[in-house]
Structure formats: structure tokens, C-alpha cells
Amino acid sequence: MSYWVKKGLKTGVVSTRYPKQEETASGITPGLPQITDNINSDDLISVCPTRAIHKTDEKLLLESSLCIHCYRCSRDTKEPLSWSEGFEWASFEKNSTPFSSTFGHSLHICVVDSGDCGACLNETKLLNSPLYNMHRLGFFITPSPRKADVLLVVGAVTQQMKGALLKAYEAMPTPKKVMAVGTCALSGGVFEGGFIAENGVSSILPVDITVPGCPPPPLAILHGLLSLAGRKNIKRGTK
Amino acid sequence: MKEIFDSIHYFCDEFSEDGNFVTIKTKQLKSLSLYLFRDLDCDLSSVVALRAKDGFNIKYLYSYPKKDYFFIVCQNIQDEFESFADDIPALNWFEREISDLFGIIPLNHPDFRALPLHPENYPIGFHPMQNDKIKDENYGTYEYKDVKSEGVYTVPVGPIHAGVIEPGHFRFAMSGEPILQLEIRHFWKHRGIEKLCEGKEVDEVLNISQKISGDNALSHALSFAMAIEKICDIKVPSFAQYCRVIAAELERISCNLSDFAGVFQDAGYSFGASGITALKEDIMRLMKLLSGNRFFKDFVIIGGVSKNIKPYTKEIIDIIKQVNITFDKYKKIMENSSSILERLETTGKIKKQTVKDLSCVGFTASASGRFSDFRKTHPYLIYSKLDFETLVLSDGDVSARVRVKLNDIKNSFKIIKICTNYISQVDKPKLKVKYEIKDGEEFGYAQSNRGNIVHFVKIEDKKVVRFKPRDPSFMNWQSIQFAVLGDVIGDFPLVNKSLNLSYAGNDL
Ligand code: SF4
Ligand code: SF4
């Protein structure tokens, strides 16, 4: 008993200071491929298996919601793409807004796994670990959708999970928001063509905010939650 | 082995040996299967069905624990086959899976209900691997095996759970406090991976294989890569082999630590859980440093590894040393705390016979008195050169499983130390070799923290025509139905955590 009190005091605070301060520790994020100007495009487009790298109006773009982090663009090409180290990837879907300030301080989150590979869920779980500690920001995982403000969905929505996911959404009180986490939840990812919903969660539920990545690191998910609570200003989606 | 081969000859029509794989064709399928499973005490490792020219081909893979041998028993069938699930309970799920996916019928199956494809969601006549038209467009229902009696009530849980857990359905039949029966229903996350991989490039399938069970990404990639390397005769440079072992052991530590934390958490000791998750995060950050990914995704590639970890040898040694010191402290806390131990001991007991019948793998088997670790019994990569002590316990309870895992973490520390020593002395590290894809079919296997992973791959015209992954959880899930009997429902999370089963890997 006395041991852990002593140990606790000795260890001090290990949680990240994000969002008040920037988090710079190494290894917190896998990063995303970064398109820079004057890069040889044809090679890249042909090497990317998911059309994440594509051309619109002669401009080379990266659609992060399709990227499955297969590293081919940095391994199998003559001019490898460099990867950015950031993690603030969340973006609102068109016409979606954060919670109003009345509801936006503390959020209760119901996590539903609708067919992920386990990695996205693993990263979500880490939000409760002392290093990320989302409780300090007023975010809590609820055991039941009936008390939840946010439905956090990971994974490609399988045929067999569709019904359960829909029921969970319907059980939530309003105002409610849906957050899709991970490439699978956004577009199907590597399971595209399998027994899953075609466009990820958005084909079943109205998605408000998306966090790309395969899997997105805990801080990216935290960034999404902060944005949803209206406590972080982020870019708007164009979709 | 000669005596054994002689007695197998007695059963078989065709017999061929290729490395440590023995392929047997026979008309006396049942007697041979029983001889392998009962007399030789083999484990059932995988069952693979394939479309053949006329009808189907089924391969049963048995692994022989006393020597590094595998037995593949083949049979050709039309659209039905005899079920042996009554005699070899481990076959139960395999046969039902084949029946759902291929539409071939196991005759006299003791429990012939749908498994991966829920009849509420897929038409009854839908068999994705058969490539035929759907004959029966109707939907069906699933009959649960509820216990109906006075005073017995059913507690259904899931598929969506409280907390951050994968989906699965559990039905407890309770009589007062103790659990009378637990029935599990899974495959909510069935993503159709086997079907999806048909006709894909090897590289694409390698990528998908890492998403079978995300936290075992590396082990799955490893067994897939080793299957391909066997088919194409690729010799992986020894430096790359050492790198692969370091990566595999780091992944093992990370997963085992997360389990250890879970046990602390579910035993109501969150101080310990916090400390251990912090350690896990340290390992994950190290994994990112080495490979660019926090789960070692795309570290293993066909023919070698994708990144040189030699420049980071010092970091690996430092972090492992630190983690080891802290880990020892928490281990001591657990061992000295009677309140934690009391929760773990005698909870969730699995009998040795159950483990044998279901061919359970990994720590589940080792904690119930049946040793299971491919690193020792069927050594791959460089594991035969490494010296480490594995643990076999006979208690079969949560405490035994935790002790096996803790011992495993210690082993991993040791193995990493040996391997980093080696790679720091290599002057010109060779990461990978060039290769050409050839046609053929092989099994590949690797030991993940949960148990052995077995992949079957068949390549035709340089494309993968059949990929059958078998995650360790597929073998172990049924054991939970026996583990909880007589316990109270409040112990279920603890038992579940101690078994650490992957839903994603099971559901495919
Ligand atoms: S990592 Fe893979 S999916 Fe993502 S952009 Fe690069 S090539 Fe495309
Ligand atoms: S997005 Fe990637 S990590 Fe997340 S569930 Fe899908 S495959 Fe797994």
C-alpha cells in the first residue's frame, strides 16, 4: 500500500502536456506520407495500391482517408516520399460542426468496434493509459451508448456488425456525434472488396469527424476528440 | 521416427516427405487421423479446403510435438465429407467454417450450425469460396443452446461491450451465482479475408495478412513471408533473420505487457495497470523508431526486412534494460500481494484434457500442462540456436497463465540481448535478397504471443489463389467456455483477459 503512494509521488506526472504544449517525444506517431512539389508523379501513382496518391487538375494529392500505411511510396519508388511526423489529422465532414459550447467541455464516448484489425482499437485503448490520460481533459469512455455524446467507430463496418452499430447509434441521446477512426472506418482500407460496407461508416451513419491513419496514433484520436468538443480549431473537409 | 513412419505406411496409399512435412494420402482417413491425434498425441494445426478440378480437396495439418514434423493428411471429396468432430473436437469449428464458406457438408457433424456467416445476415445458400450461384436466397436464424430449467436464467452479453473491447456475443446460463454454461458466438467481424485474397498479388496479401490481427501484425507477416520463401526457395540473409527475431520478441513483449496490465486492471489494481501500460508504450515507441510503425507493420518483407535496425542497437539495449528493471518491480508487487494472487488462483481453470481435445496453443496450453511453443518444438528462423527456458505449469488457472506469460517476457528480454549482440558485430548488414515468385503451395508458421500462427498459401501464375490464415485464437476461443464453469460472472473479464483472445484473428 505505502509502496505505490511513494512510487506515485516519485514518478510525478508522465502524461503528455498536449494540447497545452506540443508533444515532441519520438515514436508517438507513424506519420503520413507528404507530397512535396516537383516530385515525379507517375511512379508514385502506379505504386500506391489504394489510389491514395492521385492527380486532380494536374496536381498531385494525397487522400489520407485512403492511405493504408503500406510504405510502398517510400520504399518501392525511385524518389521516395518523405513522411511527416505530425498527428493532427482529424477533419470535419462537410456541414458538420463541433458541439456547442454548452455541451463541449466534457464528452462521454462509446467505442464501437465494427470490424477493425485490432490495432485501431489498441491505440484507442491507450488513450486511457497514463501517458495520454484523456480523463484530464474531461473525456470518458462510457459502458453504454445511452449515456454517450460521441460514437467512436473503428474498423470497416462488416455486414454482421451493421445492425448492432445502427442500434448503438439509435440508443444515444441527442445531441450526438459520430467519429470515424482509422482508414478502414473511412473507406474500407485494405478490406475494400471484402464483406464490408462500401464506404466505411459513412454509408451507414452520418459521420461528423474523421481521423485517418492505419492505425492513427492515440494523439491523433485525442486531437479528433478535442476538435469535436470545439476546443481545437481545425480545417474543414471538402467532401 | 522410423517406427512412426512404418506404422503410418500401414494406413496410407501415398506417402511423401519434404523437409519436415510429411504428406499422406489414404483411404482409411479416420483411423489415420485418430492414430495421429490420439496415439502420436499430435495437435491439429489447421484444416484447409481448396477447390480442385472436380470437387474439393481438404488438407488436415497435424503438428507432432515431440519432433519437428508436420503431417498433412489429404482427401478429395465431392460435395460432402465425413465429420470427425465427435472424436477430434478441435475439428468442430474447422468443419463448420468449411461448410459455410465452401458449401460442402460435413456428414454427422455433432453441432451443424452456421459459424462464420451468420444466417441472419447472409442468405443460406451463400458460399463465397464456391463461386457458384446462390441457390437458396432465404435468410435463417441461429438457435442458441440455452439452458431451460427452473431457476436458471440467461445473461446475454454483446456483441457491443462496455469499454474498449472487440465485438462478440456471450450467453451465460446462470443458476444463482455460478455459471452453468457459457456459449460464445463470434465472427461478427468476419471481413471475408480468405475470399478477398483470392487472385491478389503476393505483396498485397502480405499487407492484408498484417491486418488479420493488428497487434500480431509482425507474426502474421512472418508466417506468410516464410510460406512464400519456402515456395520460391528464397534464402533469407542471416542478418535479416536476427532482425526478424528481435522484432518478433519486441512484439511479444508489447502484447504480453498489455495482458499483464489487463490482469492488474481486472483484478482491481489500477496502479499496476497504469505502470505496465506505460512500459508497453515505451516498447511501442521503440518499435516506431526501428520500423517507422508502432505495430511493426511492413517491417517483414518477402526475402528479408525493410529497415536496418543496426544503427539503433544501443537504443534497443537501453530501453530493454530500463523496461526490464521496472517490469521486475511490478512482477514483485504482484507476487507479494496476497489480494491479487487470491483473485488469480483457482479462477478460470482449464483442464489438460480440454486443452488436448481442442488442440489449444500457446500459453493457454502451456499453463494447463501441455507444452506448446513452436519456437522450441518446430524451430524456425534462428530459434534453434537460442537458449531460453520455457515454462509448463499444470494448474490451468489464471495465475498459471499469467506466470507463463511473465516467464515469456523474461525470455524475450534474453533473446533480444543475444540477438542485438550478434547484429552489432555484423559489418556489412544484408537486409534482403532479390527473388522471383514461383508457383506452389506451402504452410508457413510462426509463434506469436498467443500461440502458433499457421498460414497456408497456394500460388498459381504468380498470384495467390488460396490463402488460409489460422490465428491462434481460432484454436483457443472454445476453451473459454470451459474455463468459466462454476466461476461467478464477475470473474469473467479476468478469465477473458488472461486468455487474451483476438476476435479479429478468429473472425478473419
Ligand atoms: S503508404 Fe501506401 S497507401 Fe499510403 S500513400 Fe503510400 S503507397 Fe499509398
Ligand atoms: S485502419 Fe488499419 S489499423 Fe485500423 S483497423 Fe483498419 S487495417 Fe487495422
Side-chain angles (χ1 to χ4, degrees), chain A residues 115-120 155-156 181-185 190-191 213-216, chain B residues 211 297:
Chain A
D116 85 328
C117 72
C120 274
V181 171
T183 304
C184 280
V190 281
F191 304 119
C214 183
Chain B
K211 279 134 194 184
K297 282 184 178 162

Side-chain angles (χ1 to χ4, degrees), chain A residues 3-4 27-29 68 70-71 85 113 116-117 122-123 126 130-132 143 158-160 191-192 194-195, chain B residues 116 118 121-122 162 166-167 187-189 191 196 207 211 213-214 271 274 281 285 288 292-294 298 333:
Chain A
Y3 174 78
W4 62 265
I28 44 165
T29 168
I68 53 169
C70 70
Y71 297 94
E85 281 286 302
D113 170 356
D116 85 328
C117 72
N122 237 300
E123 296 287 47
L126 281 179
L131 287 155
Y132 298 106
T158 62
Q159 300 289 348
Q160 335 219 89
F191 304 119
E192 193 187 336
F195 303 165
Chain B
H118 294 179
N121 298 90
Y122 294 100
E166 298 180 70
F187 300 91
W188 300 88
K189 289 168 76 164
R191 291 148 285 166
L196 188 63
N207 200 318
K211 279 134 194 184
S213 177
F271 158 71
S274 302
E281 177 71 19
R285 289 182 184 180
K288 147 75 187 147
N293 189 290
R294 285 161 56 87
D298 288 275
I333 294 180

Side-chain angles (χ1 to χ4, degrees), chain A residues 111-113 121 125, chain B residues 159-168 170 496 503:
Chain A
V111 180
V112 174
D113 170 356
L121 204 71
K125 216 186 276 173
Chain B
I160 294 178
H161 301 281
V164 189
I165 310 168
E166 298 180 70
F170 301 88
N496 195 0
Y503 300 63

Side-chain angles (χ1 to χ4, degrees), chain A residues 6-84:
Chain A
K6 248 190 265 160
K7 169 111 179 24
L9 288 172
K10 214 169 107 195
T11 313
V13 180
V14 294
S15 306
T16 165
R17 308 280 169 170
Y18 181 82
K20 281 213 182 98
Q21 283 167 29
E22 270 186 46
E23 175 60 65
T24 49
S26 73
I28 44 165
T29 168
L32 273 182
Q34 213 170 20
I35 303 262
T36 43
D37 292 340
N38 55 46
I39 221 161
N40 179 5
S41 56
D42 300 336
D43 198 17
L44 282 171
I45 293 174
S46 66
V47 92
C48 177
T50 60
R51 308 176 309 278
I53 300 178
H54 61 107
K55 238 182 188 165
T56 317
D57 303 334
E58 287 303 299
K59 217 174 164 264
L60 199 64
L61 294 171
L62 177 87
E63 177 58 56
S64 54
S65 69
L66 291 173
C67 174
I68 53 169
H69 288 210
C70 70
Y71 297 94
R72 282 195 205 174
C73 51
S74 64
R75 196 173 65 210
D76 298 349
T77 55
K78 277 181 235 107
E79 289 177 59
L81 271 192
S82 61
W83 285 51
S84 71

